[in-house]
Structures are given as structure tokens and as C-alpha cells.
Amino acid sequence: MPKAKKEKLEKSRLIWMYTQMVRIREFEERVKRAFIEHPGVIRGHSHLGDGAEASIVGALSTRERNDLVMPSYRCHGYAIVLGSPARNVMAEIFGRKDGLCKGFGGSMHLADPAHHFPSANGIIGAGIAQATGAALTAQVKHPGQVVYCFFGDGASKQGAFFESLNMAAVWKLPIVYVLENNQYQAYTHYSLEDANAIAGDPLSQKAQAFSIPGVTVDGTDALKVRAAVQKAADRARAGKGPSLVESKFYRLSAHGNVITVPPLPTQFPEHEAIGVYGNRAEFEKWKAKDPIPRFRAHLMKDGVLSETKARGIENAARTELDDAVKFALASPLPAPEEAVNYVYA
Ligand SMILES: Cc1ncc(C[n+]2csc(CCOP(=O)(O)OP(=O)(O)O)c2C)c(N)n1
Ligand SMILES: [Mg+2]
């Protein structure tokens, strides 16, 4: 490819990455706000991906057209990056008729097969087994297709993780396992010293048990995630089997938003106030590494993004997401008689 064309392609990809990161953040901000501005509109839990933007977009930027993506229940960002219209994703979280799954899935069970997103999963670790099954189908029926499987640090303790990685390694399945180490498993810190909750740090060393590549990357740096996941995807596509990429970042919000009736007493007022479970010093340390301003500054330094262009992207995302909320609020709830539709067993 001529140099100029390659550079142009590179530039448009970087701008695409920044745009998607901003869209995820704006989306999640609106979900968080909905719990305050429209209490009761979102039923059940809703888990946000702020802090994960570089990890999500860095990984997904390596995807080829037919590759499948299976995130955990912290899944809003994946859907909108893959192409599901933000207004339908928002309507799904609001449980509305115009939702991605007609209002039957909710925040944790988004699915959009037309956009290569078979389903998310509320059961910790279950998606790892499902994605591994999808990779077996890919190997048998769709040569060249790679499955991207995302799951948390907590999920890497589940039996499904060990069984799936064993099978994928033995059968050399075309799958990339992205372990999203956001440092918390609900309210428990991942580190051995702090909580005695998980053995082995870095968590990527679990790959050694299966003789597959395992690497830990700075998950607040979109380009570092992209490079590691690209290597893993190339390997999978070449028929050499799975890899494990541990992407380490920080959950910038609380574990999940939930409206309970009656409301639970606030057990940790300090943490609730800043939206996370950890202490303020820890939060501030990681907030300083917020992936979005970092990537913005990087692109501006390299001359990829101007202030005007960046503001244009940010304003467009705000307009898109304000519209998504309006659309979701205006959409009706599904009719009660529809409750038994789509029930197969
Ligand atoms: C099998 C199972 N056990 C327990 C839970 C309750 N639970 C919900 S979230 C969570 C923590 C998951 O932590 P992690 O895998 O790190 O994902 P994160 O929320 O940090 O993205 C737990 C234990 C569940 N949903 N499924
Ligand atoms: Mg976690």
C-alpha cells in the first residue's frame, strides 16, 4: 500500500477509535444519570464501562468483518461500537418495546446477532464457555472467523474459565480471551494482599497452564491494547489457537447502579459519593490515567486531532446520546401479553 494511503487509513482509524471511546463514555453517563433523573425507569441492575473505553475500543479496533464478540454483562459499549443503534440499546436498558431485544433483555442481556454480538451474560464466567463453543463452530464452519471473548478478573476464577481455556488450547480454537482486570469483583479488590480473593498476579500467567500466550497490558492505553489483541487475533486467525490478554484498568463507577425498593442503606457513604468502592486516593490515582483525555492528548500531540475536530466528535456524541435517551423514554413498555413470547422451554 502506498505510504500516503496507509497514513490516511491509520489516521481515520485513530479518529474512529477516539469517537467510539467518547460515545461509550457519553452513553454510560446517561445511564448513570437516568437512575437519578428518571428513578424507576431502569429496572434491575445496570453495570457501566466507564474506565474501560480504551480496552474495549483498542480490542474491537482489530476485529474483522465476520468476527464475533461476546462481552460480559458490562456490555453497553460493545453494542454501540459494533453498530447497534445507541437509541435501541438505550431503549433496551429502559426495558422498552423499541429496545434491541424488544425490552426483554435489559442491560445485562443485550444481544444483536446482526452486528456479530450473539449475547451478553449475567452469569459470571458463563460467557467464556459460550464463546468457546462459538469458536468451535467458527473453526468447523467459518474458517477465518475469530471470536473475541471478554470477561472480568472475577470470572477468571470460575471453573468455566479453566475448562474453556483447556479445550480451546487443545483444539487450537480461533479465540482471543480478553481478561478485563478492572481491579474489582463487585466490592472485592482483586489483589491477593488486599482481599485474599484471587491467586496469581499478573492474572495473565494463568495462560501458562495451557501453554498458550498470556500477556498483561495497560488497559488505559488504547494503542497498547490494540497491539496485544492484534497479535492474539492474528494468531487465532492463522489457526494457531487461543491467547489470553489481561487488560488492566480501573472501574471508574460503582459496581452497578440499582434501584431497590425500599432503598438499601448507604453502607459506604464515602465510596458512594465518588461512585466507586475503593478509597479516594486509589480513585484519584487511576482517574489521572482516565483513558479518554489521555488518548485525546496523544492524538493532538501527533497532529491526528485538532481541538476543533475533537470538540466536533464530543458534541456529536452528546447529541446522539441525548437523542437516545429521548427515544428510549418515548418508547412504550412491551404489552403484558407479550411476556410469554420468545420463551422456548
Ligand atoms: C455465577 C455467578 N456468581 C456470582 C454472581 C454475582 N456477581 C455479580 S457481578 C460479580 C463480580 C464479577 O466480577 P468480575 O468478573 O471482575 O467482573 P466486573 O463486574 O468487574 O466487570 C459477582 C460475583 C453472578 N452474577 N454469577
Ligand atoms: Mg472485575
Side-chain angles (χ1 to χ4, degrees):
M1 193 187 295
K3 199 168 164 239
K5 203 170 168 195
K6 201 173 163 198
E7 272 167 12
K8 203 168 158 211
L9 194 81
E10 195 57 32
K11 193 174 163 182
S12 66
R13 187 186 289 118
L14 293 168
I15 290 175
W16 178 86
M17 287 172 73
Y18 182 66
T19 307
Q20 301 314 316
M21 287 168 66
V22 171
R23 288 178 73 232
I24 297 175
R25 178 68 56 95
E26 293 292 332
F27 189 98
E28 301 293 47
E29 283 300 322
R30 278 157 187 75
V31 176
K32 204 187 294 181
R33 251 191 265 154
F35 278 88
I36 298 157
E37 291 172 8
H38 309 289
V41 158
I42 302 178
R43 292 136 205 253
H45 268 284
S46 189
H47 307 84
L48 306 183
D50 42 349
E53 296 89 348
S55 186
I56 298 172
V57 176
L60 293 188
S61 72
T62 67
R63 218 190 121 244
E64 293 190 5
R65 221 171 134 257
N66 287 320
D67 293 344
L68 297 182
V69 176
M70 309 267 293
S72 76
Y73 54 87
R74 209 175 278 285
C75 57
H76 311 160
Y78 298 87
I80 63 170
V81 174
L82 288 168
S84 309
R87 40 166 48 193
N88 301 108
V89 181
M90 194 67 80
E92 186 57 41
I93 296 166
F94 285 22
R96 304 300 171 106
K97 204 172 158 65
D98 296 297
L100 204 58
C101 309
K102 304 185 197 310
F104 286 83
S107 164
M108 285 196 271
H109 301 105
L110 298 180
D112 191 354
H115 287 104
H116 303 95
F117 174 11
S119 75
N121 202 308
I123 310 293
I124 309 298
I128 308 175
Q130 291 176 328
T132 304
L136 176 59
T137 305
Q139 186 181 60
V140 175
K141 288 192 172 172
H142 311 293
Q145 185 183 57
V146 170
V147 178
Y148 289 65
C149 172
F150 298 86
F151 53 92
D153 41 307
S156 77
K157 297 188 293 191
Q158 289 287 70
F161 169 86
F162 294 95
E163 295 173 41
S164 300
L165 266 74
N166 181 67
M167 191 150 273
V170 169
W171 288 343
K172 290 193 173 10
L173 298 183
I175 183 161
V176 179
Y177 293 105
V178 182
L179 192 169
E180 301 173 307
N181 185 356
N182 62 5
Q183 309 192 42
Y184 280 88
Q185 304 155 20
Y187 305 102
T188 304
H189 193 265
Y190 89 99
S191 80
L192 191 57
E193 306 83 58
D194 283 13
N196 209 11
I198 190 164
D201 194 11
L203 303 181
S204 59
Q205 67 182 303
K206 294 183 187 197
Q208 286 175 22
F210 311 101
S211 305
I212 63 170
V215 65
T216 298
V217 285
D218 177 355
T220 65
D221 184 329
L223 296 178
K224 287 203 176 123
V225 178
R226 177 175 157 77
V229 173
Q230 186 70 68
K231 206 168 164 195
D234 289 347
R235 185 171 187 275
R237 218 176 297 284
K240 294 183 182 158
S243 308
L244 177 65
V245 177
E246 177 193 6
S247 171
K248 191 169 172 185
F249 52 93
Y250 192 75
R251 197 184 71 198
L252 290 173
S253 277
H255 167 63
N257 296 290
V258 64
I259 294 279
T260 51
V261 183
L264 290 171
T266 303
Q267 205 177 349
F268 306 105
E270 164 76 349
H271 305 141
E272 291 295 325
I274 58 171
V276 292
Y277 179 75
N279 62 53
R280 185 175 289 277
E282 179 188 86
F283 175 79
E284 297 298 347
K285 180 182 141 207
W286 283 92
K287 182 67 184 158
K289 290 181 79 180
D290 187 327
I292 296 186
R294 267 183 86 192
F295 196 49
R296 189 187 203 267
H298 173 85
L299 296 186
M300 288 187 66
K301 190 170 136 272
D302 279 7
V304 174
L305 209 56
S306 64
E307 186 60 39
T308 318
K309 177 94 185 156
R311 289 218 181 132
I313 290 170
E314 289 146 11
N315 287 336
R318 285 181 198 125
T319 307
E320 179 195 10
L321 277 318
D322 283 342
D323 164 76
V325 173
K326 271 192 209 129
F327 175 84
L329 286 172
S331 174
L333 289 167
E337 56 272 20
E338 286 178 50
V340 289
N341 290 350
Y342 323 110
V343 176
Y344 299 104

XYZ file of all heavy atoms in Angstrom, residues 4 11 17 137 153 166 193 275 303 330-331 338:
82
model
N 1.238 7.234 1.671
C 0.237 8.278 1.958
C -1.118 7.649 2.283
O -1.813 8.057 3.216
C 0.121 9.217 0.775
N -4.846 7.301 10.215
C -5.435 8.484 10.849
C -6.957 8.295 11.034
O -7.495 8.569 12.106
C -5.142 9.708 9.964
C -5.410 10.999 10.650
C -4.966 12.182 9.818
C -5.628 13.426 10.350
N -5.342 14.623 9.650
N -11.378 5.426 16.627
C -11.191 4.907 17.994
C -11.563 5.970 19.033
O -12.278 5.690 19.998
C -9.734 4.447 18.200
C -9.415 3.155 17.465
S -7.653 2.722 17.509
C -7.465 2.198 19.195
N -17.531 -23.637 16.552
C -18.357 -23.507 15.340
C -17.577 -22.757 14.259
O -17.597 -23.142 13.087
C -19.660 -22.730 15.665
O -20.308 -23.373 16.732
C -20.583 -22.674 14.460
N -11.951 -9.994 35.933
C -10.953 -10.640 36.792
C -11.632 -11.682 37.691
O -11.107 -12.773 37.910
C -10.182 -9.611 37.631
C -11.070 -8.512 38.198
O -11.803 -7.887 37.426
O -11.029 -8.291 39.421
N -8.746 -24.765 28.534
C -8.146 -26.076 28.261
C -8.602 -26.585 26.894
O -7.787 -26.971 26.050
C -8.557 -27.074 29.358
C -7.937 -28.433 29.126
O -6.728 -28.590 29.226
N -8.755 -29.407 28.771
N -3.099 -9.461 48.370
C -2.768 -8.808 49.649
C -4.008 -8.169 50.275
O -4.257 -8.270 51.460
C -1.721 -7.693 49.476
C -0.444 -8.127 48.771
C -0.624 -8.095 47.264
O -0.938 -7.034 46.733
O -0.460 -9.147 46.615
N -18.603 7.212 43.730
C -19.100 6.267 42.731
C -18.331 4.974 42.648
O -18.591 4.143 41.805
N -0.772 15.297 15.981
C -1.381 16.033 14.868
C -2.522 15.297 14.181
O -2.944 15.648 13.083
N -39.561 7.789 25.170
C -40.812 7.877 24.400
C -41.328 6.506 23.972
O -42.490 6.357 23.605
C -40.585 8.760 23.166
N -40.464 5.515 24.004
C -40.876 4.183 23.553
C -41.755 3.517 24.616
O -41.460 3.597 25.812
C -39.616 3.346 23.299
O -39.972 2.017 22.993
N -47.208 -10.003 25.827
C -46.013 -10.425 25.088
C -45.034 -11.203 25.961
O -44.050 -11.749 25.471
C -45.272 -9.202 24.524
C -45.962 -8.554 23.336
C -45.194 -7.326 22.861
O -43.979 -7.450 22.665
O -45.813 -6.264 22.719
